[in-house]
Amino acid sequence: MTVSDELCSLRWDAHRASVEVIDQTRLPHSLQWRHLDSLHAFCHAISAMQVRGAPLIGITAAFGLAHALTEDPSDTALGQARDALLATRPTAVNLRWALQQVSELVQALPPRERAAAAWDKAQRLRLDDIANCERIGENGLRILRSLGKERLNIMTHCNAGWLATVKWGTALAPIYKAQASGIDVHVWVSETRPRNQGSGLTAWELQQAGVPCTIVTDNSCGQLMRQGRVDCVIVGSDRTAANGDVCNKVGTYLKALAARANDVPFYTALPESTIDWSCVEGGQIPIEERDESEVLRVAGLDSDGDLCDVGLAASGSQALNQAFDVTPADLVDTLITEYGCFAASEKGLRKLRKIISGQ
Amino acid sequence: MTVSDELCSLRWDAHRASVEVIDQTRLPHSLQWRHLDSLHAFCHAISAMQVRGAPLIGITAAFGLAHALTEDPSDTALGQARDALLATRPTAVNLRWALQQVSELVQALPPRERAAAAWDKAQRLRLDDIANCERIGENGLRILRSLGKERLNIMTHCNAGWLATVKWGTALAPIYKAQASGIDVHVWVSETRPRNQGSGLTAWELQQAGVPCTIVTDNSCGQLMRQGRVDCVIVGSDRTAANGDVCNKVGTYLKALAARANDVPFYTALPESTIDWSCVEGGQIPIEERDESEVLRVAGLDSDGDLCDVGLAASGSQALNQAFDVTPADLVDTLITEYGCFAASEKGLRKLRKIISGQ
């Protein structure tokens, strides 16, 4: 089984050197593809979260750099484009990783060869992402099978599905594989305030694939675990430190605490590219603070079917909007990667690194 | 210092036997008082959450019973009115408690004397609530002082302020007392999805009293504690079991877990009337499930300043909406009551009961 070819977040037409992405700020209310045709459009797509999710941010940035090199392949333009793309989001490490992959390759080439090589590299990163996510799905499926249940209630947070990658997803890949293998899967989708990636993106994505799911408030996730209604939690990661600390969408830490308190296994699914080997522990990861309006206002469909932005708090209210939190490694049972499953610890990650360097 | 007389959620005019409440579904966008002039209006005010908060629900129901007895003081009418009011909300125990207080009194009286006695009793419960909440504030202030800080960052959840009682509040009473005593207080207000009582009611209420506060998503409360930015958590309680388990607005349990993991004191402030002595442990408390539309839709002010209801999820999405959760007693450091502060345990509550019965 493969996730349908329709279920893909970024399209690349090699013939026309053209990149299109789903504008995720419009989901779940309408499915709109955006043609990215300038460096500004690529940067805006990332910073305004038309594309989001650590892997997809990285791939989009790689294509953005290729686009910029098509317009101007000079060292100066390369540096400027890389800096502009790097500045769009601070927390996910894939952005830096993907830009580095493309930059290092093209810096060694004469300017006239750079654009073609960059497009080619971006496309290879895109295909690698698809293959890696499918392997994460297979490795995760083995863990889900080991729980020994015919019906699985899996909780997830934010969106770490194919909308956060190119295809398959990270946290959702094992769920798609489990469904295909005949396990009766049901997903608890936490809405993920303030941007509602759970209710807006994950629930929509699971519905496209026919996976039964129920939206719950972030607040109710502890209660559901206490009631024994959750068999495991699977989330993604925006950046993983070398000691196994996981930086992911804010609210992940609370779910990990509740999972531990209620003996519910807590898994993080991530491609190796989200590991920051230079980061000793999670406290070193910069936590993005986004605009307070994301907390004080919310967008949705009004009764006429128009997208409408409404204010929730009294005028003059102030909010703090930290987009991520850090879950300490000791609350994470297993890291599910494309290379297999590893303990969330310095030792576990050393083992992973050894496997990678041995290849 | 007293909280200003303006800051009161329920007005009672003895001369006209008239009850008015703030319609809290309109806050923070507009302050509208509703005249409750029929049993149906009292029931609707509670079930539609125009009034909410365990203590205020109880007082409103007591006035509702008095109103019903004015129209018909017979035993049949008394039973019907009591049943109708009791059915409005299942979790808060004050509703049952307040109805019992009035019923037991009037049952012993001939029908012609019942209405006047019921109005009088409801008004006494109202005044007792104000006095009890002020004592909770004073007892809580002693605990806050014992933290030995000049500046206190206090986290709260939902609304347990004067909007949830008649005046002062439970969880917010110690905060008002702390501010008045010169402590530099700042409150982290968690927005409290799905109904946003934090961003909509608590932030508004604190602003009315000039207490600095910052709204945060429910998701970010763990992170703030990990960052050392929270000195203590104070919440209210809708029902407290005889072993000290606390049933409160859903999301309370996650905060209690995070507080314990980060050595942040976690307090529950409650009048004795919210203790269900017949309830051995929290698992026996019925958890209200409200309509899924509260999770799938949200109301706010649109750009024209009109109240507008918007959909957050794809059509066809399903949600589960549990309104409360249970925090096990061992995660609660102290119960702050009008009788003093007690350990959240069977032993602590036995001590409280002894004090009450000795009076």
Side-chain angles (χ1 to χ4, degrees):
Chain A
M1 176 263 185
T2 60
V3 159
S4 152
D5 276 343
E6 308 262 307
L7 305 185
C8 158
S9 62
L10 182 148
R11 290 183 197 147
W12 148 242
D13 180 335
H15 184 61
R16 295 187 298 161
S18 143
V19 175
E20 277 187 317
V21 295
I22 294 178
D23 181 352
Q24 300 190 27
T25 64
R26 297 289 158 162
L27 287 176
H29 311 297
S30 73
L31 179 59
Q32 295 182 18
W33 287 85
R34 296 245 178 273
H35 188 79
L36 302 182
D37 53 7
S38 69
L39 177 61
H40 175 263
F42 278 94
C43 289
H44 178 72
I46 299 172
S47 62
M49 297 178 68
Q50 291 175 343
V51 296
R52 22 69 52 206
L56 182 58
I57 287 172
I59 307 297
T60 306
F63 278 109
L65 203 51
H67 182 93
L69 290 167
T70 307
E71 297 196 329
D72 181 348
S74 69
D75 282 356
T76 313
L78 171 62
Q80 282 172 349
R82 195 181 46 204
D83 290 350
L85 287 159
L86 197 57
T88 51
R89 300 283 307 272
T91 300
V93 77
N94 297 58
L95 183 63
R96 190 179 75 196
W97 170 86
L99 289 169
Q100 220 160 6
Q101 297 275 312
V102 179
S103 299
E104 282 174 8
L105 176 79
V106 300
Q107 267 163 346
L109 299 174
R112 67 189 151 72
E113 293 174 19
R114 287 178 174 176
W119 285 115
D120 184 56
K121 181 69 181 175
Q123 166 65 352
R124 268 185 290 147
L125 291 176
R126 179 176 175 276
L127 295 175
D128 285 352
D129 187 71
I130 296 173
N132 289 340
C133 284
E134 186 164 9
R135 276 195 288 271
I136 288 171
E138 286 156 1
N139 293 333
L141 174 59
R142 272 193 290 280
I143 290 197
L144 294 183
R145 279 211 178 106
S146 74
L147 297 175
K149 301 208 175 185
E150 279 178 22
R151 179 172 165 76
L152 276 179
N153 285 292
I154 304 174
M155 181 175 283
T156 190
H157 187 55
C158 196
N159 174 266
W162 61 262
L163 284 169
T165 61
V166 178
K167 216 167 141 176
W168 288 103
T170 54
L172 298 194
I175 293 173
Y176 291 130
K177 289 285 181 187
Q179 189 199 31
S181 79
I183 297 173
D184 184 7
V185 189
H186 165 260
V187 183
W188 294 112
V189 176
S190 65
E191 60 173 354
T192 318
R193 283 281 295 151
R195 290 182 65 97
N196 298 325
Q197 292 96 331
S199 47
L201 303 180
T202 297
W204 179 85
E205 183 184 318
L206 290 170
Q207 284 163 32
Q208 303 299 305
V211 178
C213 65
T214 306
I215 299 169
V216 290
T217 59
D218 304 304
N219 276 330
S220 60
C221 292
Q223 164 93 334
L224 286 168
M225 293 193 227
R226 270 201 99 213
Q227 291 171 334
R229 297 166 84 174
V230 182
D231 296 307
C232 69
V233 181
I234 315 183
V235 298
S237 171
D238 287 84
R239 192 186 299 208
T240 306
N243 71 342
D245 287 353
V246 169
C247 182
N248 191 46
K249 181 56 56 193
V250 70
T252 301
Y253 170 51
L254 288 171
K255 285 182 181 61
L257 283 170
R260 179 56 51 91
N262 293 285
D263 293 323
V264 174
F266 186 93
Y267 308 123
T268 303
L270 64 154
E272 184 266 329
S273 57
T274 62
I275 300 170
D276 185 351
W277 298 104
S278 71
C279 178
V280 176
E281 53 91 24
Q284 297 175 353
I285 298 171
I287 302 292
E288 178 178 9
E289 272 186 27
R290 295 183 60 86
D291 197 89
E292 65 173 5
S293 63
E294 291 187 349
V295 178
L296 300 176
R297 308 189 65 77
V298 71
L301 272 202
D302 67 15
S303 52
D304 296 329
D306 295 323
L307 209 56
C308 173
D309 179 72
V310 298
L312 303 174
S315 67
S317 296
Q318 293 189 316
L320 177 68
N321 183 13
Q322 297 191 76
F324 300 92
D325 65 21
V326 173
T327 298
D330 62 10
L331 294 178
V332 179
D333 286 287
T334 304
L335 302 174
I336 305 170
T337 80
E338 68 272 40
Y339 294 100
C341 296
F342 300 88
S345 63
E346 211 186 313
K347 196 176 159 191
L349 286 175
R350 266 207 308 270
K351 199 173 145 194
L352 165 60
R353 204 166 191 181
K354 215 168 150 187
I355 291 173
I356 298 168
S357 60
Q359 287 193 328
Chain B
M1 178 263 183
T2 59
V3 159
S4 151
D5 276 342
E6 308 261 307
L7 305 183
C8 159
S9 61
L10 182 146
R11 289 182 198 149
W12 149 242
D13 180 335
H15 184 62
R16 296 186 298 160
S18 143
V19 175
E20 277 188 318
V21 295
I22 294 179
D23 181 352
Q24 301 190 26
T25 64
R26 299 288 157 162
L27 287 177
H29 311 298
S30 73
L31 179 60
Q32 295 181 18
W33 287 86
R34 296 241 179 275
H35 188 78
L36 302 181
D37 53 7
S38 68
L39 177 61
H40 175 264
F42 277 94
C43 289
H44 178 72
I46 300 173
S47 62
M49 296 178 69
Q50 290 175 344
V51 297
R52 20 70 52 206
L56 182 58
I57 287 172
I59 307 297
T60 306
F63 278 109
L65 203 51
H67 181 93
L69 290 167
T70 307
E71 297 196 330
D72 180 350
S74 69
D75 281 358
T76 314
L78 170 64
Q80 282 172 349
R82 195 182 45 204
D83 290 350
L85 286 159
L86 196 56
T88 51
R89 300 284 306 274
T91 300
V93 77
N94 298 57
L95 183 61
R96 190 179 75 195
W97 170 86
L99 289 169
Q100 221 160 7
Q101 298 274 312
V102 179
S103 299
E104 282 174 7
L105 176 78
V106 299
Q107 268 163 345
L109 299 175
R112 68 187 152 74
E113 293 174 20
R114 286 177 174 175
W119 284 116
D120 184 57
K121 180 69 181 175
Q123 166 65 350
R124 267 185 290 148
L125 291 176
R126 179 176 175 276
L127 294 176
D128 283 352
D129 188 72
I130 296 172
N132 289 340
C133 285
E134 185 164 10
R135 276 196 289 270
I136 288 172
E138 285 156 2
N139 293 332
L141 174 60
R142 272 194 289 280
I143 290 199
L144 295 182
R145 279 212 177 106
S146 75
L147 297 174
K149 300 206 176 186
E150 279 177 24
R151 181 173 163 77
L152 276 180
N153 285 291
I154 303 174
M155 180 175 284
T156 191
H157 186 57
C158 195
N159 173 265
W162 60 262
L163 285 169
T165 60
V166 178
K167 214 167 141 177
W168 287 103
T170 54
L172 298 194
I175 293 174
Y176 292 129
K177 288 287 182 186
Q179 189 199 31
S181 80
I183 296 174
D184 184 8
V185 189
H186 165 259
V187 183
W188 294 112
V189 176
S190 65
E191 59 174 354
T192 317
R193 282 284 292 152
R195 290 182 65 98
N196 299 324
Q197 292 96 331
S199 48
L201 302 181
T202 297
W204 178 84
E205 183 184 318
L206 291 170
Q207 283 162 32
Q208 303 300 306
V211 178
C213 65
T214 306
I215 298 169
V216 290
T217 59
D218 304 304
N219 276 329
S220 59
C221 292
Q223 165 92 333
L224 286 169
M225 292 192 228
R226 269 201 100 213
Q227 291 171 335
R229 297 165 85 174
V230 182
D231 297 307
C232 69
V233 181
I234 315 183
V235 298
S237 171
D238 286 82
R239 192 186 299 210
T240 306
N243 71 342
D245 288 354
V246 170
C247 183
N248 190 46
K249 182 56 55 194
V250 69
T252 300
Y253 171 50
L254 289 170
K255 284 182 181 62
L257 283 170
R260 179 56 50 91
N262 294 284
D263 293 323
V264 173
F266 185 93
Y267 308 122
T268 302
L270 64 154
E272 184 267 330
S273 57
T274 64
I275 300 171
D276 185 352
W277 298 103
S278 71
C279 178
V280 177
E281 53 90 24
Q284 297 175 353
I285 299 171
I287 302 291
E288 178 178 10
E289 272 187 26
R290 294 182 61 85
D291 197 88
E292 65 173 4
S293 63
E294 291 186 350
V295 178
L296 300 175
R297 309 190 63 79
V298 71
L301 271 202
D302 68 15
S303 52
D304 295 329
D306 295 323
L307 208 56
C308 172
D309 178 73
V310 298
L312 302 175
S315 67
S317 297
Q318 294 188 315
L320 176 69
N321 183 14
Q322 297 191 78
F324 300 92
D325 65 21
V326 173
T327 298
D330 63 9
L331 295 178
V332 179
D333 286 288
T334 304
L335 301 175
I336 305 170
T337 79
E338 67 272 38
Y339 294 99
C341 297
F342 300 88
S345 64
E346 211 186 313
K347 195 177 160 193
L349 285 175
R350 265 206 310 269
K351 198 172 146 197
L352 166 60
R353 205 166 191 182
K354 216 168 148 186
I355 291 173
I356 297 168
S357 61
Q359 285 193 329

